[in-house]
């Protein structure tokens, strides 16, 4: 049980704060990408080929938007995991404090 | 009992007819010792020696020093005395050797028992000492603070005088007028509690000395008062700029910081510090004390930054499109506008023309900067012009406010009114031109520059080719200039008339003062351009951070993209906090503070007072811990 604790209280607290920020921000970015916000056009990895004249040009761009959006959601999910891990570390650290040495 | 030291005279136990002398000497000295004895006494003695076995204990105590034990058999008192002196010279320790076999054993047992006793005494003493110290350690903090309080009380009492009867203390104190009854009741309560028979007397006396300055603060306002006092404590009864600083300081900070994402992080941090203030104080670090002392300042700075971030429409360098942009790119294409499909392939940069119908909806974006500017490549030339003019407007308003406050301070109409007229006629007109140019519709190719307009006004230059900003411009400029130039001379004539003194002296003084004020005004207004400069730096840093860190992760469209995004987001967050929040935050804080201290306060603030510092146990214990 002791080996499950691998970081101190401060690192775990930083990890928790970072994870909460990451979850909120990446989730919102994911939402904005999947709703095809124009402001984020420069973050979408489109190429000249995608913008060629044709019936599917717009759909190509939208598909890329959705891909980036899903990436953001997956990253947010990973941060949920990291946050849970940090929370456990904080809990274990607190418990260690109360143990009599 | 102790070993008999034969070298001590008058020792009762040693008889003068001892047959031998026994002792211990260092092994290296023994040969020389033997030679000396032979030379002196020519063999009238018998000397025997043996090396001493060094026990573990002795080695630990004395080190690895080899010693020899020797015994000298000799007859005659004089010879014996001489030998004893030789032994002294060679630093040999002499011992009395017991004659029977039983005595050494007895001696060694008694020595051993002595040693055991001493060891036990040492152990007991150490335990006792540890016990006493541990018990004392529980109280030392309390004693320390009691001592500090007592010292402070005695120091304060020493500042008082003893009256003639030697039984009473007379103290002359500064006290806020509204607290006089409070002080009186505290004195009475104190005298009752100490059981004295004399009731204290409180009298108000007149004095020529300047009283100290006392501004009542609560936990919210004391941070702002502290940053004003850091520059200079206000003169007695002077107007206190702290109450206005509560709003203007976070606002000017926010103009330079303007990002609602960063502002939100800052606000949340400040909320956390405020809620945890008491438990954070226990860390007793100087840095955390500063942050805790300024927690309300940081809170307000964060809240105002969210507001200016919404106006600049900047959140981690991206804009929100909440209300719908007023610009429409589609209308630039056929049939409404000039663009064709080939236009897109030919040109890299295309400019939206607001005069083509449908491109610009006619109503500006509801709140803040239109989000279309975030993806425009000429974003900076638009925002720079906007921010520069905004800085001038804010700066002149702030300074006019400062000049207005000086009216309350000094109410000298000779100084206030001419200053006001000068500022209003020059800078007030500049602000009017800025606002007017913003409100009317102009074609960008033919729009007159305000700067050139101003220069031409000063130089009386009215060539007909120059486009005027509005009709009747010439007729406005002439009286303005008249007012400006006449202001230079008005004061002097008035003062000379009043005082009936020579013109020359006053003239020179007023000329210097006038030039100083003019240049000061212009340089102070230019100084407010730092509001533009810092806000530009912050926006650019924010954009660079997004583009170089987070965008790299976003642009990877494969499955690995999410993992890269996790790592890069962590880097983005750390860099945002360290570079953009801490570094830029400190920078904007410093510049906003400078604008207050120098450009704002030199219009009215004297700041030459001293602070009212009553004896306070809280601050005493806080500073010395």
């Amino acid at each position: 049980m002791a080996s499950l604790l691998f970081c101190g209280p401060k690192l775990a607290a930083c990890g928790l704060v970072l994870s909460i920020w990451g979850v909120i921000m990446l989730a919102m970015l994911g939402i904005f990408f999947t709703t095809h916000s124009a402001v984020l056009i420069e973050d979408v990895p489109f190429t000249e080929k995608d913008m060629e004249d044709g019936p599917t040009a717009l759909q190509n761009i939208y598909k890329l938007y959705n891909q980036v959006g899903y990436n953001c959601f997956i990253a947010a999910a990973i941060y949920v995991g990291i946050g849970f891990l940090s929370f456990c570390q904080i809990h274990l650290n607190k418990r260690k404090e109360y143990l009599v040495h | 009992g102790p070993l008999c030291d034969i070298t001590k005279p008058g020792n009762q136990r040693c008889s003068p007819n001892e047959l031998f002398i026994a002792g211990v000497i260092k092994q290296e000295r023994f040969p020389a010792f033997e030679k000396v004895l032979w030379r002196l006494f020519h063999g009238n003695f018998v000397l025997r020696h043996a090396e001493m076995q060094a026990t573990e204990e002795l080695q630990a105590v004395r080190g690895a020093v080899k010693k020899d034990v020797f015994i000298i058999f000799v007859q005659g008192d004089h010879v014996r005395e001489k030998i004893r002196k030789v032994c002294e010279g060679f630093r040999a320790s002499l011992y009395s050797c017991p004659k029977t076999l039983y005595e050494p054993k007895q001696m060694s047992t008694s020595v051993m028992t002595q040693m055991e006793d001493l060891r036990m005494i040492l152990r007991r003493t150490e335990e006792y000492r540890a016990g006493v110290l541990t018990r004392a350690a529980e109280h030392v903090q309390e004693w320390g603070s009691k001592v500090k309080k007592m010292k402070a009380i005695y120091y304060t009492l020493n500042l008082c005088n003893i009256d003639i009867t030697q039984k009473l203390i007379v103290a002359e104190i500064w006290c806020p007028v509204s607290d006089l009854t409070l002080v009186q009741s505290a004195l009475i309560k104190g005298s009752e509690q100490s059981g004295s028979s004399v009731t204290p007397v409180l009298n108000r006396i007149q004095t020529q000395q300047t009283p100290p300055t006392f501004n009542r603060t609560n936990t919210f306002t004391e941070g702002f008062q502290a940053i004003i006092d850091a520059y200079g404590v206000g003169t007695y009864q002077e107007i206190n700029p702290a109450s206005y600083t509560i709003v203007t300081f976070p606002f000017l900070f926010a103009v330079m910081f303007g990002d609602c994402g960063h502002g939100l992080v800052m606000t949340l941090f400040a909320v956390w510090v405020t809620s945890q203030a008491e438990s954070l104080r226990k860390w007793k670090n100087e840095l955390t004390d500063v942050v805790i002392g300024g927690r309300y300042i940081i809170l307000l700075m964060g809240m105002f930054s969210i507001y200016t971030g919404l106006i600049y429409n900047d959140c981690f360098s991206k804009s929100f499109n909440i209300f719908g942009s007023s610009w429409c790119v589609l209308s630039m294409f056929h049939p409404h506008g000039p663009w064709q499909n080939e236009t897109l392939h030919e040109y890299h940069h295309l400019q939206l023309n607001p005069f083509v119908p449908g491109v610009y909806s006619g109503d500006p974006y509801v709140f803040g900067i239109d989000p279309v500017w975030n993806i425009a490549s000429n974003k900076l030339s638009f925002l720079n012009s906007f921010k520069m003019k905004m800085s001038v407007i804010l700066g002149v308003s702030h300074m006019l406010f400062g000049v207005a406050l000086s009216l309350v301070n000094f109410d000298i109409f000779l100084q206030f009114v001419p200053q006001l007229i000068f500022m209003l006629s020059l800078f007030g007109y500049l602000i009017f031109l800025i606002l007017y140019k913003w409100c009317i519709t102009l074609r960008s190719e033919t729009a007159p520059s305000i700067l050139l307009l101003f220069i031409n006004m000063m130089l009386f230059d009215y060539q007909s080719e120059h486009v005027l900003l509005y009709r009747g411009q010439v007729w406005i400029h002439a009286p303005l200039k008249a007012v400006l130039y006449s202001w230079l001379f008005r004061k002097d004539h008035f003062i000379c008339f009043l005082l009936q003194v020579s013109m020359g002296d006053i003239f020179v003084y007023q000329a210097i003062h006038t030039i100083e004020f003019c240049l000061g005004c212009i340089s102070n207004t230019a100084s407010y351009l730092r509001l533009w400069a810092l806000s530009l730096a912050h926006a650019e840093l924010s954009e660079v951070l997004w583009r170089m860190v987070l965008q790299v992760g976003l642009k990877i469209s494969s499955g690995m993209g999410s993992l890269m995004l996790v790592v890069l987001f962590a880097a983005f967050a750390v860099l945002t906090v360290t570079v953009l929040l801490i570094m830029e935050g400190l920078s904007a804080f410093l510049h906003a503070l400078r604008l207050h201290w120098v450009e704002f306060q030199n219009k009215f603030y004297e700041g030459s007072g001293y602070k009212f510092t009553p004896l306070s146990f809280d601050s005493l214990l806080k500073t010395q811990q």
Side-chain angles (χ1 to χ4, degrees), chain B residues 113-292:
Chain B
T113 2
Q114 260 186 318
M115 272 171 56
E116 270 308 310
D117 282 340
L118 284 173
R119 271 204 209 102
M120 197 176 72
I121 290 174
L122 272 177
R123 213 176 27 242
R124 286 281 168 81
T125 318
E126 276 187 12
E127 281 172 17
Y128 179 66
R129 184 185 69 163
V132 167
L133 285 179
T134 324
R135 272 194 303 279
E138 293 165 17
H139 297 293
V140 77
Q141 190 95 334
E142 197 187 308
W143 291 340
S145 58
K146 270 194 191 157
V147 165
K148 277 182 206 141
K149 285 186 186 174
M150 278 164 40
K151 266 176 74 173
I153 292 174
Y154 281 121
Y155 175 73
T156 313
L157 283 177
N158 279 342
L159 297 172
C160 311
N161 301 319
I162 308 278
D163 88 324
I164 302 185
T165 63
Q166 299 283 319
K167 292 214 184 86
L168 302 172
I169 292 184
V170 180
E172 294 180 354
I173 61 165
W174 292 114
C175 162
V177 172
S178 50
D179 284 342
L180 272 173
T181 42
L182 212 70
V183 173
Q184 175 84 306
S185 57
L187 281 171
I188 293 177
K189 194 165 89 166
S191 76
E192 277 172 21
Q193 279 183 348
S194 62
S196 88
S197 52
V198 186
T199 49
V201 176
L202 181 66
N203 273 338
R204 211 173 143 171
I205 53 176
Q206 298 295 328
T207 176
Q208 297 291 351
Q209 288 178 321
T210 323
T213 316
F214 178 51
N215 289 309
R216 258 183 236 278
T217 55
N218 54 28
T219 36
F220 178 66
T221 55
E222 68 182 349
F224 296 99
Q225 188 68 52
I227 59 177
I228 298 290
D229 286 343
Y231 184 66
V233 179
T235 324
Y236 184 62
Q237 298 275 293
E238 189 179 31
I239 193 166
N240 182 20
S243 21
Y244 314 108
T245 307
I246 296 175
V247 173
T248 56
F249 175 75
F251 180 69
L252 288 183
F253 171 88
V255 171
M256 292 190 264
F257 198 70
D259 186 316
C260 46
H262 300 151
L264 186 66
V265 174
M266 193 180 267
T267 313
L268 291 173
F269 172 69
V271 165
W272 175 72
V273 170
T274 313
S275 63
Q276 300 285 318
E278 289 313 313
S279 54
L280 282 176
R281 259 192 240 271
K282 287 198 211 111
W283 283 12
K284 292 211 185 94
N285 188 7
E286 210 178 290
L287 207 61
T288 49
D289 276 342
V290 169
V291 170
I292 292 168

Side-chain angles (χ1 to χ4, degrees), chain B residues 26-191:
Chain B
K26 275 193 185 160
Q27 197 175 54
E28 61 214 9
R29 291 198 189 134
F30 185 75
F33 179 58
E34 199 176 357
K35 271 202 197 115
V36 166
L37 282 176
W38 269 97
R39 291 235 180 84
L40 280 176
F41 302 115
H42 309 294
N44 283 339
F45 64 97
V46 177
L47 170 69
R48 292 284 178 270
H49 74 111
E51 194 178 317
M52 258 179 70
Q53 314 288 3
T55 60
E56 297 267 318
E57 210 174 281
L58 284 175
Q59 258 185 341
V61 166
R62 225 185 290 138
V65 176
K66 290 219 175 117
K67 290 208 174 181
D68 274 1
V69 62
F70 64 88
I71 187 163
I72 307 175
F73 293 91
V74 73
Q75 277 269 344
D77 291 335
H78 288 298
V79 184
R80 221 174 277 126
E81 278 308 308
K82 281 191 194 139
I83 290 181
R84 281 205 194 101
K85 288 221 173 76
V86 170
C87 292
E88 257 178 57
F90 275 89
R91 295 214 189 98
S93 341
L94 297 174
Y95 298 104
S96 76
C97 200
K99 294 185 199 57
T100 64
L101 201 59
Y102 177 63
E103 278 188 41
K105 277 211 178 71
Q106 212 182 22
M107 274 181 133
S108 95
T109 19
S110 73
V111 166
M112 286 302 179
T113 2
Q114 260 186 318
M115 272 171 56
E116 270 308 310
D117 282 340
L118 284 173
R119 271 204 209 102
M120 197 176 72
I121 290 174
L122 272 177
R123 213 176 27 242
R124 286 281 168 81
T125 318
E126 276 187 12
E127 281 172 17
Y128 179 66
R129 184 185 69 163
V132 167
L133 285 179
T134 324
R135 272 194 303 279
E138 293 165 17
H139 297 293
V140 77
Q141 190 95 334
E142 197 187 308
W143 291 340
S145 58
K146 270 194 191 157
V147 165
K148 277 182 206 141
K149 285 186 186 174
M150 278 164 40
K151 266 176 74 173
I153 292 174
Y154 281 121
Y155 175 73
T156 313
L157 283 177
N158 279 342
L159 297 172
C160 311
N161 301 319
I162 308 278
D163 88 324
I164 302 185
T165 63
Q166 299 283 319
K167 292 214 184 86
L168 302 172
I169 292 184
V170 180
E172 294 180 354
I173 61 165
W174 292 114
C175 162
V177 172
S178 50
D179 284 342
L180 272 173
T181 42
L182 212 70
V183 173
Q184 175 84 306
S185 57
L187 281 171
I188 293 177
K189 194 165 89 166
S191 76

Side-chain angles (χ1 to χ4, degrees), chain B residues 236 469 578:
Chain B
Y236 184 62
L469 195 54
T578 52

Side-chain angles (χ1 to χ4, degrees), chain B residues 230-387:
Chain B
Y231 184 66
V233 179
T235 324
Y236 184 62
Q237 298 275 293
E238 189 179 31
I239 193 166
N240 182 20
S243 21
Y244 314 108
T245 307
I246 296 175
V247 173
T248 56
F249 175 75
F251 180 69
L252 288 183
F253 171 88
V255 171
M256 292 190 264
F257 198 70
D259 186 316
C260 46
H262 300 151
L264 186 66
V265 174
M266 193 180 267
T267 313
L268 291 173
F269 172 69
V271 165
W272 175 72
V273 170
T274 313
S275 63
Q276 300 285 318
E278 289 313 313
S279 54
L280 282 176
R281 259 192 240 271
K282 287 198 211 111
W283 283 12
K284 292 211 185 94
N285 188 7
E286 210 178 290
L287 207 61
T288 49
D289 276 342
V290 169
V291 170
I292 292 168
R295 59 196 187 277
Y296 289 108
I297 305 180
I298 300 178
L299 179 68
L300 247 63
M301 282 174 0
M303 283 170 20
F304 275 75
S305 297
I306 299 178
Y307 170 72
T308 54
L310 287 173
I311 291 193
Y312 289 151
N313 214 346
D314 190 355
C315 176
F316 296 113
S317 82
K318 297 286 167 191
S319 294
F320 290 117
N321 188 2
I322 309 175
F323 304 104
S325 171
S326 305
W327 293 77
C328 173
V329 183
L330 194 59
S331 312
M332 283 297 287
F333 289 94
H334 250 53
H336 299 277
W339 293 354
Q340 304 275 6
N341 213 354
E342 294 80 41
T343 333
L344 292 178
H345 293 295
E346 258 178 73
Y347 296 100
H348 283 290
H349 284 95
L350 291 165
Q351 190 164 29
L352 297 176
N353 187 353
F355 287 103
V356 171
V359 172
Y360 180 61
S361 69
D363 302 311
Y365 191 68
V366 175
F367 185 76
I369 305 270
D370 199 300
V372 75
W373 287 106
N374 193 264
I375 46 180
S377 45
N378 62 346
K379 166 173 85 157
L380 278 181
S381 49
F382 168 71
L383 281 180
N384 281 349
S385 157
F386 163 70
K387 284 179 182 174

